[in-house]
């Protein structure tokens, strides 16, 4: 990948131009990080809106077409869909099933199961199932 940085003429607006054949998930993640004003997300809890830092989220899960953000002590609901949050989330978030994204910084232990799946034990001792399809990606990331 080639990176070129040029200074714009006086008075011109700064811009970023991306030339690519395909938009890979990594490129999409970088573009979303550039667009995002900060590393936070707004979610609701009990009717009130809360500004959360991605670093405070243990995992993100979709249940019955609703998206939930799990913190240490509370569960928040987000308006975004799972794939949108996956694109916004920092690189230390990884999909572990069709409906779950986990914060790798919050994984305490990884336990393999006999069926080829695995289970992640988080810092708060909560257990999250990892689909067999995603186990190898998780092992590489850890």
């Amino acid at each position: 990948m080639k990176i070129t940085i040029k200074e714009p003429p006086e008075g011109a607006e700064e811009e970023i131009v991306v030339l690519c054949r395909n938009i890979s998930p990594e490129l999409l993640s970088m573009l979303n990080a550039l667009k995002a004003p900060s590393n936070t997300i707004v979610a609701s809890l009990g009717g009130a809106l809360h500004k959360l830092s991605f670093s405070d989220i243990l995992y993100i899960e979709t249940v019955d077409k609703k998206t939930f953000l799990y913190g240490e002590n509370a569960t928040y609901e987000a308006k975004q869909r799972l794939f949108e949050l996956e694109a916004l989330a920092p690189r230390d978030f990884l999909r572990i099933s069709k409906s779950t994204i986990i914060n790798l910084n919050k994984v305490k232990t990884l336990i393999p199961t006999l069926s080829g799946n695995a289970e992640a034990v988080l810092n708060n001792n909560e257990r999250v199932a990892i689909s067999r399809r995603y186990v190898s990606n998780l092992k590489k990331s850890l």
Side-chain angles (χ1 to χ4, degrees), residues 4-126:
T4 304
I5 300 174
K6 296 180 181 177
E7 189 174 332
E10 187 66 37
E13 183 180 357
E14 292 180 340
E15 69 176 326
I16 296 174
V17 178
V18 178
L19 303 172
C20 62
R21 297 195 197 305
N22 299 343
I23 298 181
S24 66
E26 293 83 12
L27 179 58
L28 185 59
S29 177
M30 287 188 289
L31 292 173
N32 284 323
L34 288 170
K35 289 191 304 186
S38 65
N39 207 10
T40 60
I41 185 166
V42 176
S44 64
L45 174 64
L49 294 177
H50 297 267
K51 188 175 180 181
L52 302 172
S53 171
F54 274 104
S55 62
D56 294 332
I57 298 170
L58 297 170
Y59 66 100
I60 303 169
E61 181 179 43
T62 297
V63 178
D64 295 330
K65 297 186 179 182
K66 293 183 180 182
T67 306
F68 298 98
L69 310 173
Y70 295 87
E72 292 280 339
N73 301 313
T75 302
Y76 304 85
E77 186 174 348
K79 289 188 178 185
Q80 294 92 334
R81 295 174 64 187
L82 191 65
F83 75 91
E84 294 170 322
L85 292 174
E86 184 176 23
L88 288 173
R91 289 182 172 234
D92 46 0
F93 277 74
L94 184 71
R95 186 176 287 264
I96 59 167
S97 72
K98 280 176 45 177
S99 62
T100 309
I101 301 168
I102 196 166
N103 184 346
L104 296 174
N105 295 326
K106 303 293 183 176
V107 175
K108 183 168 41 173
T109 309
L110 187 62
I111 303 169
T113 62
L114 295 175
S115 63
N117 296 340
E119 196 173 63
V121 179
L122 305 176
N123 289 344
N124 67 346
N125 292 322
E126 188 171 348

